[in-house]
Amino acid sequence: MDLDLDRDPAARPAPSAAPSAASALREWLEIAFRDKRRIAAAFALCFGLTVLAALLPTARYQSEASVLVRLGHEYVYVADNTDGSSGGAMPLMFDRTEALSAETQILASRDLIAEVVRHVGLGRLYPDIARQREDSDRPKLDQAVERFRQGLDAQLLKGATVIQIGFSHRDPALAQAALRTLLQTYLARRAAVFSDGQVRFLEGQVAAVDKRLQRAEQDLSRFKRAHGIVDYGQQIGLLLQQGNELESRLNDTDQQARTASERAKTLTRLANATPANLVQFSESLGDPQVPRQLLELRLKEQGLRSRYVDDNPLVVNAGNDVATAEAFIRDQRKAPPTTVRTGRNPVREAAELDLLRARSDESALAGSRKALQDTLQQLRRRADELSRQQIELAALSREQKLLEDSYGNYARKLEAARITEAREQKQRTTVSVLQAASWPLKAKSARLPILAIGLCLSVVAALLVAFLSQALRSSFQSPEQLERAFGLPVLATLPRVQR
């Protein structure tokens, strides 16, 4: 029965007393029965969506591990004075929760998780992300890190310095491998974070110097193999000695060439001055062998002049003999011949023959001089090349020696820094793995929590629909409501007539 009456509070009398609990329950039951379809539809819709959401996620396997954190001196703060000393200040220990929270931040840092994803493999962990196209706004690695963080759970155990770590994945083997890799990377990362930077610096320097030293050794080895010379000083000394010998031979050849040239010039003048034909017999000329003797005297004089100075007695005597022979020939030629028989002048023939020999010797000496000059030039170029190679070898050897010394210095400093690091490590915070990454035995499903939450939300939605339906009505649903609203008794009610 619906009574559509004016519900203006100003026009109605004062309401009656509040209804009893039984009456209110009966009214709500009547409302629920009256709006049962709406309430059932709201409940069914919400719960159906909940069931659908519960069927979507697949089972996930969670691998678990735990680590024990022993706090050290890096979580102790000591105030420094202006001069840099502690000055007896009271050390302040960080709160245990804050220190462990710092450890969990290191454990869940983006760079550490990204390194784990790269080590295990993006395609193995999340193949659906790997199959996507690369997006500059959302790189694949960032998506993988975000999903890895969703599956990562790190909690601090109350009252203990223990961090409980869990990682869930659809594949149990990947869940265990990823968590194991995460622990290994975490231990290495925190060791790098809290370690002394000097050790890392020296390790980098040692590696860089070692690389340079290997390259210098390879360059020196290639240089020695390419040139095949062990002692450059000895080789250059031998070349200089050979060069000196060649210069001496070249000087001798030059002297012999000049002598041969002068002799050829003398023989040329003599041949030109000697007639081609000679009187072989004449009553007035006497012995025809006198001109030959004159030629021999001139040649003797020329030879002496090439070896001695002009005022030497031997040269002077030879010159006097030549002048005497020439005067004798001139005296004989002044008398007119009576009976004369001419023929080929043997002196001219001998002079021409000697001239040919002299020119041949001069040409041979010139060729020998050219060969000696070329050889000497090659020796000089070879000596210059060896000197350049010696300088280059010295530079390579010097660089290798300097790098060896530098490597030794850095290695000693690194060893000292490692000893100091090991001594200070005992005072630092240490992390021990209490439980390694376990193999997930059972799959954890979120269906039951989803169904429980969905059931609660469905009930709330049904009640909300009932409340809104009652609040939005402009009519009375029962005589009691009418009596409470107007303060008058209901005399009679008419049932709803079904048409």
Side-chain angles (χ1 to χ4, degrees):
M1 177 188 67
D2 293 339
L3 300 177
D4 192 4
L5 300 176
D6 186 8
R7 300 182 65 175
D8 186 5
R12 71 173 74 105
S16 62
S20 63
S23 175
L25 178 61
R26 184 172 63 84
E27 289 182 5
W28 279 106
L29 291 176
E30 290 178 357
I31 293 172
F33 181 76
R34 187 181 303 274
D35 297 330
K36 59 181 179 298
R37 292 181 179 180
R38 296 178 182 177
I39 295 174
F43 180 84
L45 178 61
C46 292
F47 194 72
L49 294 176
T50 302
V51 173
L52 182 61
L55 295 176
L56 290 179
T58 57
R60 300 179 68 85
Y61 296 86
Q62 181 168 350
S63 177
E64 296 181 350
S66 59
V67 294
L68 174 64
V69 181
R70 294 188 291 271
L71 303 181
H73 72 278
E74 63 265 35
Y75 287 113
V76 177
Y77 173 72
V78 179
D80 293 338
N81 295 329
T82 57
D83 58 354
S85 61
S86 59
M90 181 65 69
L92 299 177
M93 184 70 180
F94 279 78
D95 183 68
R96 181 184 65 86
T97 304
E98 295 178 355
L100 294 178
S101 297
E103 295 293 335
T104 57
Q105 290 297 323
I106 298 175
L107 186 64
S109 62
R110 181 195 177 281
D111 293 341
L112 189 142
I113 295 178
E115 185 175 351
V116 173
V117 171
R118 283 192 292 265
H119 186 273
V120 178
L122 177 60
R124 292 181 59 197
L125 280 174
Y126 307 113
D128 57 331
I129 296 179
R131 288 191 297 267
Q132 296 177 4
R133 291 184 178 180
E134 190 63 41
D135 188 2
S136 58
D137 296 333
R138 294 191 63 195
K140 294 181 181 179
L141 185 59
D142 291 348
Q143 299 182 39
V145 170
E146 185 64 27
R147 188 177 296 184
F148 193 98
R149 282 178 173 174
Q150 294 176 1
L152 181 64
D153 181 24
Q155 298 179 357
L156 304 177
L157 295 185
K158 186 176 181 181
T161 59
V162 176
I163 302 176
Q164 189 74 26
I165 309 169
F167 179 71
S168 60
H169 195 272
R170 288 179 293 182
D171 188 347
L174 285 178
Q176 184 185 31
L179 185 57
R180 184 188 301 115
T181 306
L182 179 67
L183 288 177
Q184 295 173 354
T185 309
Y186 160 69
L187 295 176
R189 177 63 59 86
R190 76 173 309 279
V193 169
F194 291 110
S195 64
D196 188 2
Q198 185 179 8
V199 174
R200 293 196 301 273
F201 171 76
L202 290 175
E203 288 177 346
Q205 292 297 110
V206 167
V209 174
D210 180 60
K211 185 180 297 184
R212 291 175 56 193
L213 179 58
Q214 293 179 3
R215 188 165 55 249
E217 291 175 347
Q218 293 174 0
D219 293 341
L220 183 60
S221 177
R222 282 196 298 267
F223 182 86
K224 290 182 177 180
R225 288 197 305 268
H227 301 287
I229 296 178
V230 179
D231 190 349
Y232 276 92
Q234 182 180 2
Q235 293 292 329
I236 294 175
L238 291 175
L239 289 177
L240 292 177
Q241 183 179 357
Q242 294 177 6
N244 293 332
E245 293 177 356
L246 286 176
E247 287 182 354
S248 179
R249 290 174 56 187
L250 182 59
N251 292 333
D252 294 340
T253 303
D254 288 341
Q255 183 66 29
Q256 293 176 8
R258 286 194 296 270
T259 302
S261 177
E262 292 295 334
R263 186 165 179 269
K265 292 178 180 178
T266 302
L267 290 174
T268 301
R269 289 194 300 269
L270 180 60
N272 293 333
T274 304
N277 296 321
L278 182 65
V279 177
Q280 296 181 353
F281 177 77
S282 175
E283 293 180 355
S284 60
L285 291 178
D287 190 0
Q289 297 298 326
V290 174
R292 179 181 294 274
Q293 294 175 359
L294 176 60
L295 176 60
E296 292 176 356
L297 291 174
R298 287 180 176 175
L299 293 176
K300 179 180 179 182
E301 179 188 10
Q302 184 65 32
L304 292 174
R305 287 183 182 275
S306 64
R307 292 194 299 270
Y308 305 102
V309 295
D310 293 341
D311 56 354
N312 189 279
L314 296 176
V315 178
V316 174
N317 293 333
N320 294 333
D321 293 339
V322 171
T324 302
E326 290 177 349
F328 177 76
I329 291 176
R330 283 194 301 270
D331 292 340
Q332 283 188 344
R333 288 179 179 177
K334 290 179 181 180
T338 53
T339 303
V340 177
R341 186 174 65 247
T342 62
R344 185 67 178 170
N345 191 346
V347 177
R348 175 70 177 266
E349 291 179 353
E352 291 177 351
L353 182 59
D354 291 339
L355 177 60
L356 291 175
R357 292 173 180 173
R359 288 177 176 174
S360 177
D361 293 340
E362 183 182 7
S363 177
L365 290 172
S368 178
R369 181 176 179 276
K370 182 65 170 60
L372 289 174
Q373 287 178 342
D374 293 341
T375 305
L376 182 60
Q377 190 67 23
Q378 292 177 0
L379 287 178
R380 288 175 178 172
R381 285 197 297 268
R382 179 60 176 166
D384 293 340
E385 178 67 18
L386 289 180
S387 299
R388 185 189 62 78
Q389 293 178 9
Q390 185 181 22
I391 295 174
E392 186 176 356
L393 177 63
L396 292 175
S397 301
R398 183 169 56 254
E399 182 181 4
Q400 181 187 9
K401 182 65 171 59
L402 291 175
L403 289 175
E404 287 178 350
D405 296 340
S406 179
Y407 180 82
N409 292 333
Y410 278 120
R412 287 189 293 270
K413 291 180 180 179
L414 177 60
E415 185 65 23
R418 284 175 175 172
I419 294 174
T420 304
E421 175 78 9
R423 184 172 60 251
E424 294 180 353
Q425 183 68 27
K426 297 180 180 180
Q427 303 175 356
R428 290 183 184 150
T429 299
T430 56
V431 176
S432 302
V433 179
L434 294 180
Q435 176 186 336
S438 62
W439 177 268
L441 297 179
K442 294 182 179 180
K444 292 185 178 181
S445 177
R447 291 177 180 175
L448 291 179
I450 293 175
L451 290 176
I453 295 173
L455 179 61
C456 294
L457 292 177
S458 300
V459 172
V460 171
L463 293 177
L464 183 61
V465 168
F467 176 78
L468 291 176
S469 297
Q470 178 62 21
L472 295 177
R473 281 195 179 95
S474 60
S475 61
F476 296 96
Q477 302 297 317
S478 65
E480 288 80 3
Q481 291 181 354
L482 186 62
E483 289 177 353
R484 285 197 305 271
F486 292 95
L488 297 175
V490 177
L491 299 179
T493 60
L494 297 177
R496 182 184 295 274
V497 178
Q498 300 292 337
R499 295 180 180 179

